[in-house]
Amino acid sequence: RVLGLPAGGLLLEDLRPGDCFNDPTNVDMILAVEAVPCSSPHDNEVFSVFDFPADRRAPYPGEDQALIDASGRCLGKMEAYVGASFKESGLDVFTLFPVEAAWALGDRRVVCSAYDLGFERLLTSVRSTGGVIPDGFATVWSLTPGECFEESYGDLVPIVPCSGPHFGMLFESFDLDTPVLSPTIDADVDGFCMDRAETVFTALELAGLEVFALRWPGPATWTAGDREVACAALDITAAS
């Protein structure tokens, strides 16, 4: 046992796929975590451990870029462990990666762990489960054109029949064809969706709709291969 390590504590260097642990209390400097059985309530489950593909002489990319690169690689590795991609699993990644001081000492280790998108505690292992999406819900990534949903402030949305009251409808999704992620993507996507809406709805219908981008790639998901933009319209039933 390491001196000063509490009972149940597990050093980051000892974490392996299949280990489950609770959220650290000090996220500024994480050296160890509280390991718990995956059969009991827990916050995170390790699904992959790998080294950055950078040699000891490579300069530190900066904390923000290191997190983007590490998280993107973690997202791409989730499906092999869970049985569903990050888009379809209801899980997101908590990524542990080297800070600059550790990088200077040669540390390149990244630990990928999964947690519930709805911030519910996991009750069992997520290995080979296909994910944890509750019945009647979808992730913003797994919605398909023609599906209607209720308002939600997270990445899990309630699915409802389009024939009844609903907040919005996903009307189209498409892949960006740019070679790199634009730094202005957050400002651009609503305009992309309005362009698409003009080919789907009549001018009269558009006058009563609010069109917006429901999802689009961020730096980490782009690294994982995500290129998809999904467009939604509000109050489509009332406007028709």
Side-chain angles (χ1 to χ4, degrees):
R1 178 178 172 184
V2 178
L3 183 65
L5 190 65
L10 193 62
L11 291 170
L12 298 192
E13 62 194 56
D14 295 327
L15 283 171
R16 298 291 183 270
D19 288 335
C20 294
F21 64 95
N22 288 323
D23 287 340
T25 55
N26 180 8
V27 296
D28 292 327
M29 183 172 290
I30 303 172
L31 301 176
V33 294
E34 178 195 358
V36 294
C38 293
S39 57
S40 64
H42 56 280
D43 298 318
N44 311 279
E45 178 173 348
V46 179
F47 64 87
S48 183
V49 177
F50 65 92
D51 284 346
F52 264 118
D55 64 35
R56 293 180 63 90
R57 294 169 296 178
Y60 189 60
E63 188 167 315
D64 290 345
Q65 190 60 49
L67 176 59
I68 288 169
D69 291 345
S71 296
R73 292 175 185 274
C74 285
L75 288 168
K77 295 174 181 291
M78 181 182 288
E79 186 169 5
Y81 185 91
V82 175
S85 72
F86 71 92
K87 291 184 174 185
E88 300 167 334
S89 65
L91 298 165
D92 204 348
V93 296
F94 174 39
T95 307
L96 299 167
F97 62 97
V99 296
E100 187 169 10
W103 183 280
L105 296 174
D107 183 13
R108 301 292 184 268
R109 195 168 188 264
V110 176
V111 178
C112 311
S113 57
Y115 69 89
D116 189 304
L117 266 177
F119 298 101
E120 298 291 336
R121 304 197 80 196
L122 299 170
L123 302 179
T124 187
S125 173
V126 299
R127 189 195 298 263
S128 302
T129 60
V132 296
I133 299 177
D135 290 342
F137 284 76
T139 71
V140 294
W141 296 283
S142 63
L143 279 170
T144 57
E147 284 190 308
C148 294
F149 54 93
E150 290 286 15
E151 186 172 12
S152 175
Y153 295 101
D155 290 327
L156 283 174
V157 293
I159 303 301
V160 293
C162 294
S163 56
H166 56 275
F167 178 74
M169 184 187 80
L170 191 79
F171 67 85
E172 187 165 341
S173 62
F174 63 94
D175 285 348
L176 296 169
D177 59 4
T178 54
V180 296
L181 182 64
S182 168
T184 61
I185 184 67
D186 292 353
D188 294 340
V189 285
D190 284 345
F192 297 160
C193 285
M194 180 55 73
D195 291 342
R196 299 279 174 150
E198 290 173 352
T199 69
V200 174
F201 303 106
T202 67
L204 182 60
E205 289 172 327
L206 274 176
L209 297 177
E210 180 182 349
V211 173
F212 65 101
L214 181 66
R215 65 172 185 262
W216 60 93
T221 65
W222 182 275
T223 301
D226 182 26
R227 301 293 184 268
E228 188 177 22
V229 176
C231 303
L234 300 187
D235 300 324
I236 191 168
T237 299
S240 60

